[in-house]
Amino acid sequence: MRKLVCVGMLCALLSACTSPFEKQVKADFQAKKALFSQGDFFGVFDDEGLTAEERDALMFFYAYMPVGDITDYSGNFYLENIRSSFATREETEWGKKIPDDVFRHFVLPVRVNNEALDRSRMVFHDELMPRLKGLAMYDAVLEVNHWCHEKANYQPSDARTSSPLATVRTAYGRCGEESTFLVAALRSVGIPARQVYTPRWAHTDDNHAWVEAWVDGKWYFLGACEPEPVLNLGWFNEPASRGMLMHTKVFGYYEGPEEVMRTTANYTEINVIGNYAENAPVSVRVTDIDGKPVEDACVRFGIYNYAEFYPVSSQKTGADGRASLSAGLGDMVVLAVKDRAFGIQKVSFGKDKEVKLRLEHQVGDTLSFSFDIVPPAGDPTLPEVTPEQRAENDIRFNREDSIRHAYIASFPGADAIRAFASETGYDAEAVAPYIVASRGNASEIEAFLKEAAGREMRSRALDLLGTLAEKDLRDAEASVLDDHLYHTDSLADVATVLAPRIGYEMLTPYRSFFRREIPETDVARFREKPLELVEWCKDSLMLRDDLCTVGTVISPEGVWKSRMADRTSRNTFFVAVARSLGIPAWIDRVTGYVLYKENGKDVAVDFESGRSEQVAEGTLKLDYTPIPRLGDPSYARHFSLSRFDGEGFALQVYPDFEPWSKLFKEPVPVPAGYYMLVSGTRLAKGGVLAQVSFFGVEQDKETDAGLVMRESEEAVSVIGSFNSESKFQTPEGGETSVLLTTGRGYFIVGILGVGDEPTNHALKDIAAKASELEKWGRKIVLLFPSRAAYEKYQSAPIEGLPSTVVFGIDADGSIEAAIRQEMKLQAGTRLPVFIVADTFNRVVFESHGYTIGMGDQLLHTVHGL
């Protein structure tokens, strides 16, 4: 895209120059504004104090915002952010060098992903700018990440994304929250930044998000809140080189150089896999049974991950029946659907250039296929880091941990919680879990509890807190919780009426709002006949999924004011209104159905028809014959179930890692319909032996289907050697050897990287399998690279590790060096490293770096010995 230049100086963001881009933005803005016939959402444009530059920036914002950003935040909020961005651009040396298009898309926007928006830009700017004085742009990026590490580190959590300020208040976040936080921090000081996601890894379960920052004309990557001495370095260099897809969302209409994967009303999704891994395109030509191209078929490219073919790209075919994608050099499974015909096939990027996919199957057919899925091999490129740089970074890293730990130490402890309970009349053991989990938000939770105590509603307040997710405790305001507690009948059901949480929306005080806004005549008829509320939603709400593609949820109040919603927000709105009126209502977590209770029966809502009826159900039993290394497969680790929804198969969200024996060993009720069952055995090198089956479940009938876990023909074999007499230091300061510690037989040795995401994942996975590893009975020797690393770990240890774990210190690095040399690990390969070996010095398993399911992998190996 050309730069807009006007008499030697940059034009305003959308200047008087009539570029095609400006025309597009203005047209999109006018179209968006015309949709909002309800409410006064564009009042900020009436401000006579707006400069032309500010007006153009606001127009760009409003043209591409999801509906919820217009309904749930004021125009003055966006204006404050815009003015801060422009001021910072003038304030910084690098701001003057940033091209207008880069500034527009990667500095100016407030939204990063689907987080709640806040005033972090202004708050972060004021704290960060003094630290960046005199720094070059490259060094400023590194410094901002060090600051972020002072504030937060990694901790897994649920799918709702905390706002940047909430992440700071909590002092941790999952990778999506850490990267949202870092992008917000970089933009606050005028540095272009974007969040990069791999929707799913191909070689291991899970996904990851990190950050790219624009420095002097080039994009660099870095791990959020995981500062390194240089850019383009993180623990994920190797996994990223094995990635199949990396993408980023660019706010608004975008004309950049990258491959466009998808253009929506809110953002342009671009493919950045080329920044990390070798890749190649595949073209899929969808045909009917006679070989003729099929237009408007839904094509989904899926990566095997968490036992499903996770759709990383969804496309509609053109008149020629084609869809295409560029991805890393591994395998995906492509599913194409048109009406009730479908086809499914494996494609290999780098081998297949054009694939013909026939819609040769019909919904209702009973089918089964096997796929051997191979992930990319990977070949990481690591930038040079001198020993001096590494040592300095390690010193800073530890100091930043200390700063963050000092802040965490200010959270209420046991004594403070006991004192609060005594003062307010609560049982200390009853309130402690909520106050501890609230972390930096404890004052809000305590304020809520204190007010409830004053009103003699202690038990009901605890009931309400018990319905919340931990993340709610960390960012909910007392006033919001008050609204739900004091505007709900004291005898109403806790789970389906009192509970504020419905899905993944941000909690808002919607109950008092609806009591004010809904006319009494409507309240009476909705309560008497909830179907009237269903019909109201059908007739009164404009459904615009296309305007809400970021994954945000419009607040129930925003839906009421605008009379506009996407399906998710409409469903949330219905439940919110119903609960506000005392009607039990909820969204089923497994199926996604919206339900309410009437005359003691669960009734499912069909908004499209305006009807509601009981769910048509059959029963499903999955027959499983145990294989030698897997007696009881678990959901989302070994198998998953998806139901046909018209365009594809929607995952049924049973609890993660729930065993088959608890879910489907006996017949269980499921909605009638057509299902896809996926199972897979993950191999040590990341490949998968997958099985996919299709079958129907009829109403009031039992279906028995087979759950097949394919076995690897690869027997456990010796892959290297390890000297079991290798010595390490004990935590008490003595010296011992692996052999003396474990005795004769097999053992596990792990070299840990303390405080980083790969090690935390591995240890938590091992803890999850503690009882089974204890039954194995052999020692697990976990070694730290230094005593300082061991002491750092002890300040925040992983709970629940097997009792067979023995800690030690590889003070001279000899054990780590020996394993690296024997396993031929490249220089710079990140910790942790695990081996399974025996006292005859034979290694039969090795894993390094980031991997999910480490406990399962170890058990799979030891059960095969």
Side-chain angles (χ1 to χ4, degrees):
M1 174 179 171
R2 65 185 180 86
K3 298 179 184 177
L4 307 178
V5 181
C6 186
V7 194
M9 60 187 298
L10 293 173
C11 287
L13 201 58
L14 297 172
S15 68
C17 307
T18 54
S19 70
F21 181 86
E22 178 196 357
K23 291 179 180 178
Q24 182 70 54
V25 172
K26 287 184 176 179
D28 291 340
F29 171 76
Q30 293 299 336
K32 178 74 75 63
K33 186 177 180 182
L35 291 172
F36 284 81
S37 58
Q38 298 277 337
D40 180 22
F41 298 108
F42 292 78
V44 68
F45 289 91
D46 298 330
D47 186 342
E48 295 182 357
L50 291 177
T51 66
E53 184 179 51
E54 291 166 353
R55 187 176 297 276
D56 289 341
L58 279 169
M59 189 181 299
F60 176 60
F61 272 24
Y62 277 77
Y64 301 112
M65 284 182 195
V67 172
D69 285 3
I70 295 176
T71 63
D72 295 343
Y73 303 91
S74 72
N76 287 329
F77 167 78
Y78 296 113
L79 182 57
E80 181 185 24
N81 276 273
I82 286 167
R83 286 173 172 166
S84 178
S85 296
F86 286 148
T88 303
R89 191 178 192 184
E90 292 301 315
E91 175 187 7
T92 58
E93 287 299 318
W94 50 77
K96 303 173 182 64
K97 300 185 292 184
I98 299 171
D100 283 355
D101 59 336
V102 175
F103 179 82
R104 175 191 304 117
H105 291 290
F106 302 110
V107 176
L108 196 62
V110 182
R111 178 163 299 290
V112 179
N113 199 311
N114 61 354
E115 75 281 7
L117 304 183
D118 60 23
R119 293 190 69 255
S120 59
R121 185 182 300 258
M122 287 63 69
V123 174
F124 293 172
H125 168 275
D126 291 348
E127 187 168 344
L128 276 167
M129 285 307 297
R131 294 176 63 141
L132 307 185
K133 188 175 182 180
L135 293 181
M137 198 174 188
Y138 184 102
D139 295 324
V141 172
L142 295 173
E143 184 62 31
V144 170
N145 205 21
H146 277 289
W147 176 83
C148 287
H149 181 236
E150 288 180 10
K151 304 296 184 182
N153 70 346
Y154 176 78
Q155 180 72 23
S157 61
D158 66 40
R160 182 169 68 84
T161 304
S162 294
S163 72
L165 287 176
T167 298
V168 170
R169 192 161 56 245
T170 298
Y172 64 60
R174 57 178 171 80
C175 60
E177 290 163 330
E178 288 181 305
S179 51
T180 296
F181 170 36
L182 176 56
V183 169
L186 289 167
R187 290 179 180 177
S188 78
V189 295
I191 295 174
R194 60 196 189 192
Q195 182 187 53
V196 175
Y197 252 107
T198 177
R200 289 291 190 270
W201 296 119
H203 68 285
T204 188
D205 295 325
D206 212 5
N207 63 351
H208 193 52
W210 57 90
V211 173
E212 287 186 346
W214 186 94
V215 177
D216 299 327
K218 181 180 178 182
W219 288 101
Y220 295 82
F221 69 83
L222 63 162
C225 305
E226 298 168 338
E228 293 284 358
V230 296
L231 298 178
N232 286 350
L233 180 62
W235 63 260
F236 52 89
N237 280 66
E238 182 184 23
S241 76
R242 302 190 70 183
M244 293 206 67
L245 191 67
M246 283 86 178
H247 63 72
T248 186
K249 293 180 175 71
V250 185
F251 184 88
Y253 171 63
Y254 179 64
E255 296 179 323
E258 300 92 344
E259 176 192 3
V260 173
M261 294 179 59
R262 185 162 67 128
T263 301
T264 76
N266 308 130
Y267 63 86
T268 304
E269 187 174 83
I270 58 175
N271 190 354
V272 294
I273 182 66
N275 294 352
Y276 302 92
E278 189 178 356
N279 61 96
V282 165
S283 175
V284 175
R285 182 170 177 264
V286 180
T287 73
D288 62 18
I289 197 70
D290 297 319
K292 297 177 181 178
V294 176
E295 184 177 7
D296 206 34
C298 181
V299 179
R300 295 180 177 176
F301 292 83
I303 292 176
Y304 181 93
N305 189 283
Y306 280 132
E308 66 165 321
F309 300 127
Y310 182 85
V312 295
S313 178
S314 297
Q315 305 175 30
K316 292 281 190 173
T317 55
D320 60 357
R322 292 185 184 276
S324 62
L325 182 68
S326 293
L329 307 185
D331 296 342
M332 290 192 196
V333 171
V334 181
L335 178 74
V337 176
K338 177 67 182 291
D339 299 327
R340 293 175 68 81
F342 70 94
I344 186 170
Q345 187 170 328
K346 185 181 82 170
V347 298
S348 298
F349 290 82
K351 295 180 182 178
D352 300 327
K353 293 183 179 179
E354 182 169 318
V355 172
K356 183 177 177 181
L357 181 55
R358 288 200 310 162
L359 304 184
E360 57 187 326
H361 310 296
Q362 294 291 322
V363 169
D365 292 349
T366 300
L367 309 161
S368 187
F369 305 95
S370 295
F371 295 123
D372 291 356
I373 297 172
V374 180
D379 185 17
T381 300
L382 300 173
E384 182 180 355
V385 176
T386 67
E388 293 76 19
Q389 288 175 313
R390 175 57 62 195
E392 180 184 355
N393 195 78
D394 288 347
I395 291 170
R396 293 199 63 180
F397 200 95
N398 291 330
R399 184 165 66 244
E400 290 150 12
D401 279 341
S402 299
I403 293 170
R404 188 176 62 260
H405 290 153
Y407 165 65
I408 293 171
S410 71
F411 297 164
D415 291 342
I417 293 171
R418 280 193 293 269
F420 171 81
S422 176
E423 175 191 338
T424 54
Y426 287 96
D427 176 69
E429 290 186 2
V431 297
Y434 302 118
I435 296 175
V436 170
S438 66
R439 295 175 68 83
N441 197 46
S443 61
E444 294 290 327
I445 300 304
E446 289 179 341
F448 167 69
L449 289 168
K450 187 173 183 179
E451 177 70 16
R455 300 192 186 201
E456 298 297 329
M457 295 183 69
R458 295 178 185 84
S459 177
R460 194 68 169 168
L462 292 173
D463 285 343
L464 187 151
L465 292 181
T467 70
L468 302 181
E470 277 201 11
K471 192 169 291 181
D472 295 328
L473 297 170
R474 301 198 295 267
D475 63 12
E477 297 178 2
S479 59
V480 173
L481 301 180
D482 288 346
D483 181 82
H484 291 277
L485 182 61
Y486 306 128
H487 290 94
T488 303
D489 187 279
S490 61
L491 298 179
D493 182 67
V494 173
T496 61
V497 180
L498 175 63
R501 163 72 47 219
I502 299 168
Y504 287 113
E505 77 284 0
M506 189 69 187
L507 297 185
T508 60
Y510 57 74
R511 293 186 200 247
S512 58
F513 175 85
F514 287 126
R515 292 204 172 187
R516 291 192 307 270
E517 293 292 326
I518 301 177
E520 282 301 320
T521 54
D522 286 342
V523 169
R525 68 188 183 94
F526 291 161
R527 282 174 172 163
E528 181 180 356
K529 190 177 181 182
L531 181 59
E532 296 277 350
L533 177 57
V534 177
E535 292 172 345
W536 187 95
C537 291
K538 176 180 179 292
D539 296 338
S540 302
L541 299 181
M542 181 191 303
L543 200 62
R544 293 300 302 264
D545 287 331
D546 59 314
L547 298 180
C548 306
T549 59
V550 183
T552 58
V553 179
I554 309 168
S555 72
E557 301 96 314
V559 172
W560 176 268
K561 292 174 185 176
S562 67
R563 298 296 200 269
M564 196 181 308
D566 58 286
R567 281 176 172 78
T568 300
S569 301
R570 176 201 59 196
N571 296 351
T572 302
F573 169 82
F574 173 85
V575 174
V577 173
R579 289 183 180 178
S580 298
L581 304 183
I583 303 166
W586 65 98
I587 299 174
D588 185 84
R589 291 298 176 92
V590 175
T591 64
Y593 285 162
V594 179
L595 300 133
Y596 64 86
K597 193 173 287 293
E598 186 175 34
N599 299 324
K601 295 181 179 179
D602 295 350
V603 181
V605 174
D606 182 350
F607 289 106
E608 278 64 37
S609 67
R611 299 194 308 269
S612 56
E613 56 190 23
Q614 287 184 262
V615 177
E617 290 185 329
T619 58
L620 175 64
K621 177 184 177 185
L622 297 181
D623 297 316
Y624 175 65
T625 301
I627 60 176
R629 301 187 194 181
L630 186 59
D632 195 358
S634 57
Y635 198 79
R637 177 165 286 136
H638 302 114
F639 72 100
S640 69
L641 193 65
S642 300
R643 184 171 177 269
F644 184 69
D645 63 4
E647 288 197 334
F649 290 83
L651 181 70
Q652 306 297 281
V653 189
Y654 291 96
D656 285 350
F657 315 135
E658 190 80 355
W660 157 80
S661 59
K662 290 186 178 180
L663 289 177
F664 296 109
K665 184 176 181 179
E666 302 298 331
V668 294
V670 299
Y674 189 58
Y675 286 87
M676 175 173 67
L677 173 66
V678 177
S679 63
T681 300
R682 177 80 72 176
L683 304 180
K685 292 183 179 180
V688 177
L689 302 179
Q691 186 79 13
V692 57
S693 303
F694 297 88
F695 53 84
V697 175
E698 296 184 49
Q699 184 175 357
D700 300 327
K701 292 185 179 180
E702 179 179 324
T703 297
D704 288 358
L707 172 58
V708 176
M709 296 300 304
R710 296 173 58 199
E711 293 187 79
S712 170
E713 295 180 358
E714 303 172 4
V716 175
S717 58
V718 176
I719 60 174
S721 65
F722 171 76
N723 182 6
S724 62
E725 296 189 38
S726 297
K727 291 183 171 53
F728 61 90
Q729 291 182 4
T730 66
E732 297 75 25
E735 185 177 81
T736 187
S737 70
V738 173
L739 176 60
L740 287 174
T741 302
T742 66
R744 291 291 177 184
Y746 281 99
F747 56 82
I748 297 168
V749 169
I751 311 292
L752 307 181
V754 179
D756 65 10
E757 186 170 340
T759 293
N760 288 343
H761 265 298
L763 293 182
K764 288 175 181 177
D765 286 342
I766 290 172
K769 296 296 179 180
S771 61
E772 292 170 80
L773 287 166
E774 286 171 350
K775 288 178 183 177
W776 180 49
R778 302 298 301 158
K779 296 293 186 184
I780 303 172
V781 181
L782 299 181
L783 301 176
F784 298 88
S786 66
R787 184 163 294 278
Y790 169 75
E791 291 171 352
K792 178 180 177 181
Y793 170 82
Q794 290 301 319
S795 67
I798 301 299
E799 301 289 339
L801 289 174
S803 59
T804 49
V805 164
V806 175
F807 290 120
I809 300 160
D810 183 25
D812 61 2
S814 59
I815 293 180
E816 179 182 349
I819 293 174
R820 286 180 178 276
Q821 181 177 352
E822 182 63 27
M823 295 294 105
K824 298 180 173 58
L825 302 183
Q826 294 184 2
T829 298
R830 300 296 292 262
L831 299 175
V833 174
F834 287 91
I835 63 169
V836 177
D838 68 7
T839 45
F840 292 103
N841 297 338
R842 300 176 299 187
V843 177
V844 296
F845 170 86
E846 182 274 327
S847 175
H848 58 269
Y850 183 78
T851 184
I852 296 296
M854 178 55 62
D856 271 331
Q857 291 186 42
L858 293 172
L859 284 170
H860 181 77
T861 299
V862 302
H863 287 165
L865 296 175

